[in-house]
Amino acid sequence: MHELQVTESILSIVLKHAEANRVNKVVAIHLKIGELSDLENEWIQHYFDYLSKDTKAEGAKLKIERTPVVLRCNKCSNSFEVNIKQMKEIQCPECGDKKCTLISGREYYIKHMEVI
Amino acid sequence: MMEEVRLIQVKEEIFSDNKEIADDLRDNLVKEKTFLINLMSSPGSGKTSLILKTIEKIRDEFRMGVIEADIDSMVDSEKVAAQGIEAIQLRTGGFCHLDASMVKKGLDAMDLGGLDLIIIENVGNLVCPAEFDTGATKNVMILSVPEGDDKPLKYPLMFTVCNVLLVNKIDYLDISDFDIHALRERVLTLNPKIEIFEVSCKTGQGIEDWTNWLREEVKAFGVVSK
């Protein structure tokens, strides 16, 4: 629902790096976004296409890698991946305990970009 | 001639700007000894009612203020101002959440030195506000019984980022199929450190447990009560 603001941030960071590196054109941007985020890849690209018009990033493709939700069991320290949207109850597959700490799944990160 | 594609390492957090402003706000709040609560929930779960109940209970102990975020209305801030409490209205103009720069605007308009406790009423929404650090000292959320006990499964992020969960409209529990034990288990799996209080803004049930917790936290933050 807040894809627009996310996209504005991505564009401003990308243009800052493009300027610093004397880039002619940004071809692709590689992002890492956690599965816990409700962002829709398609919408981020739509907004990006709109916002990046007449900039060096116009036409750049967003390549989004989704990082899985990983929890660590507080009891036995076992780390495990979960599909949080599909599971009814979450518990450690090793010891069955139900108290866990979130290790990954909240990422919002720009890794690198392809430029010419 | 084909131009050669090269790779530029960016390695930046998309929300780094927001995080920076939020961290600055938090530092400043520590200096000013002002405790800031970011209150989040769905529309209609009782944020304004909870704020009014909280004001009623502890207004004699702490100097309080409220920041109301609304897409485009003043209804909530008027209710708070009617209590004689300083209320700032932030119209988000269609935005689905508050971010740190918007909260900063609200705080800049208030006299922090004269306030011990400020509650932000975020935009009613369980999705977007969870993603944006507002600079608050603590995140508090409300889930009301009519919304259902499955919400931690649908909106896990919100339950992960909060320090406190208030289960409001608990007086409806007996006439609903809301499973409070299942809810507790689901929430604690995602966030074992969260404090859960069962409250009813209508009957007053549990409100004191919440305000007792809040009082201790605000005092531990270094605020001396009036």
Side-chain angles (χ1 to χ4, degrees), chain B residues 46-159:
Chain B
K47 287 186 293 301
T48 309
S49 303
L50 193 271
I51 289 173
L52 293 173
K53 280 282 173 197
T54 307
I55 289 171
E56 191 185 306
K57 281 274 179 206
I58 58 173
R59 65 178 304 159
D60 294 339
E61 298 165 57
F62 304 113
R63 296 167 300 174
M64 295 180 67
V66 173
I67 297 176
E68 292 284 348
D70 238 312
I71 302 245
D72 196 20
S73 87
M74 305 278 281
V75 180
D76 293 341
S77 62
E78 282 162 3
K79 280 186 200 158
V80 173
Q83 302 295 310
I85 294 288
E86 183 175 5
I88 299 276
Q89 177 79 42
L90 294 177
R91 284 202 187 128
T92 60
F95 256 35
C96 47
H97 62 276
L98 283 178
D99 65 12
S101 66
M102 291 188 251
V103 169
K104 186 173 185 304
K105 264 187 214 158
L107 292 176
D108 285 346
M110 296 174 118
D111 167 27
L112 290 191
L115 291 171
D116 304 318
L117 171 62
I118 298 173
I119 303 176
I120 306 168
E121 180 172 344
N122 212 317
V123 182
N125 177 342
L126 286 180
V127 184
C128 314
E131 306 260 28
F132 292 86
D133 190 344
T134 55
T137 321
K138 297 281 177 190
N139 286 330
V140 176
M141 71 170 291
I142 302 176
L143 176 74
S144 63
V145 168
E147 292 170 67
D149 53 40
D150 60 345
K151 290 300 164 286
L153 304 171
K154 287 191 169 172
Y155 308 103
L157 185 61
M158 178 58 82
F159 291 84

Side-chain angles (χ1 to χ4, degrees), chain B residues 184-204:
Chain B
R184 279 180 175 272
E185 204 163 74
R186 285 166 184 161
V187 174
L188 289 170
T189 302
L190 293 166
N191 184 355
K193 288 186 187 141
I194 198 167
E195 298 274 350
I196 304 175
F197 299 105
E198 296 172 20
V199 303
S200 164
C201 289
K202 193 174 164 201
T203 68

